[in-house]
Amino acid sequence: MDTEQPSSSPTEAPERPLPATHLYSVEYPGYVQPSSVPLAVRNLGGTAKLENAFKRTAARSEALLELNLRYGNPYAHPIPGDVVGTSNILIKVTKRKRRRVDDDGVIGDYIAEPLGVVLKTARFRTMADYQFQPDMSDPIARLRLAMDRMDVDAIRQYTIPEEKEDYVISSPTGDDTNIDPGLMKQPATRSNLRLFPPPIFSRQGIPQNYNFKPNSASMATTVVNEETGEERKRLINKGRWKGYGPATVTFGDLNIPENPIQAVQLARNQVKHELLERVTQLVQDRPVWTRAALYNQFSPAEVREIHNSKVLLPLVCYTFQDGPWRDTLIRLKYDPRKNPEARFYQRIYFAMQIIQCQGSPLSPGDKKEDQRPRTSLEMIESEEDLRETCDVGVEVLTHKLPPHPLQERDGWYSAHAFERIKIVLRHKFFSLLQGYVATQEECEALLEEGGAGKRTQTTRVKKLKYGKHNMAKGALRPEDAAAARLQAALERNARNLQASRREKLGDHSLTPESRP
């Protein structure tokens, strides 16, 4: 059985030709009525400014508009706008009202008529800047207005006003304030600093959606204020990583930590027992360590374990944040301020910038460590022995510099003695750069009064004239220093070999210079 389907043809909208009129529009961020259109055009810079901005051949600087919501105020920051190309159609909608006959109701007919095509649109999408209005009766403000009006007489009559210390003046408490005078415990005051606003306050022009929300792992907990007993709610992330560090005190604190904090005590089972015992034994044998010197007592894997645990060091030591033992690891219950023997563990800081040449043997880009030039110490001792410590020990400093009354800057040494120590250590440092080890006699000579002791032959014959220095003051370039170290090592080995041969032959009277 055939059923006849009803024929349905969609009703097509009638075609309308687009008008040839070209229009421009302004998206004004405010309420505009027919009576306020002149004010809106004035705030945009006037008709001439709009015509230049909408020109087809307008430059980029001319296509920028500024909206002055406080017209005529030079201290009010305008809102910048942009002219963008659009393809919008301006449609005029007309509503005609007519009354029905049956129920006396009112119905309307709508008629849409295109008026033109909008080719360009001025938009103001930037947020308004902060506004600050200074006192317009101030001489600086009057000078600013005179410069805008090109008032030559007013500009020539300007003089710098006398500076007064009336930086805070009383403020009236009448109808021009929003504070009830009865609620004010003291007379109202306002600032009189004569501050003038900068060209712009905020660089944030486009609003952003921050989308603040709590962490998914956070939980609401109740926290009690110990002083007031007041309870308040806080969101705490239960899954956060808890880091620990050695307790820190200042040099002026009377007491020092004697035991680890409770949080560290509770995390004691998280560290390796054997590693903790070794660190405890080291700080028992020596009460003060630098972090680098302590790490050098362990293998790289053990150092990584100590560094990552964050609990091991706080269990056995604390640190000073200032003073002669700043940033050192000190055994709990040990106070270096009460023991003059702690002067041997004071830290000395040198500000010496060392710059290495590109492509030199010590260049960071050279990854082959076995090709690195070795110093004289490395030829005598193995690298494993040198890795066991990074402390600088000078025996002459221990015997010839007695303790001095304790002070925060130089510890158990006087200021003069501390400077002499720096002279000796600086000499040892530059001696290594030159390729030899400073002798005991040189150090003792430098420790004499004023550090003006006699120089040995070794320091006198060392002259650095191998080109422009580019390392610390008085040092050679890396390639020259490497060559000097190698030459010094060869000469020293030759002298030792000759001395050993003379001892075997029993010839102690003749020197290489006196032999025929």
Side-chain angles (χ1 to χ4, degrees), residues 391-461:
D391 300 323
V392 177
V394 183
E395 186 178 357
V396 66
L397 300 180
T398 307
H399 296 86
K400 291 201 172 186
L401 295 178
H404 189 268
L406 182 67
Q407 53 182 333
E408 181 177 356
R409 180 178 177 270
D410 300 320
W412 289 105
Y413 294 105
S414 64
H416 179 63
F418 209 69
E419 292 300 325
R420 292 160 66 189
I421 292 174
K422 289 184 178 180
I423 291 174
V424 174
L425 294 180
R426 188 178 292 109
H427 173 71
K428 292 176 67 66
F429 174 76
F430 286 117
S431 298
L432 293 177
L433 289 179
Q434 296 175 22
Y436 72 98
V437 180
T439 62
Q440 182 81 3
E441 292 77 10
E442 295 177 31
C443 296
E444 291 179 355
L446 291 173
L447 274 180
E448 292 181 3
E449 193 66 28
K454 62 179 181 178
R455 291 187 177 181
T456 60
Q457 182 180 3
T458 308
T459 59
R460 186 168 56 251
V461 300

Side-chain angles (χ1 to χ4, degrees), residues 96-108:
R96 294 183 178 179
K97 299 181 180 179
R98 61 185 180 88
R99 191 179 299 275
R100 283 186 175 181
V101 180
D102 50 359
D103 55 358
D104 296 336
V106 178
I107 61 175

Side-chain angles (χ1 to χ4, degrees), residues 214-282:
N215 194 327
S216 58
S218 61
M219 298 178 61
T221 58
T222 302
V223 180
V224 180
N225 191 336
E226 297 180 357
E227 297 180 357
T228 61
E230 181 183 0
E231 295 184 358
R232 58 190 182 93
K233 297 289 185 180
R234 284 191 60 187
L235 293 176
I236 298 180
N237 184 6
K238 297 296 184 180
R240 74 183 188 279
W241 178 82
K242 296 181 181 180
Y244 305 98
T248 304
V249 295
T250 62
F251 187 83
D253 291 341
L254 299 178
N255 300 322
I256 60 171
E258 296 186 355
N259 298 296
I261 61 177
Q262 184 179 2
V264 175
Q265 288 279 23
L266 296 176
R268 180 184 289 269
N269 57 353
Q270 299 179 6
V271 300
K272 292 182 179 181
H273 183 67
E274 299 80 3
L275 205 56
L276 178 60
E277 286 185 350
R278 289 183 56 189
V279 176
T280 304
Q281 185 61 40
L282 287 173

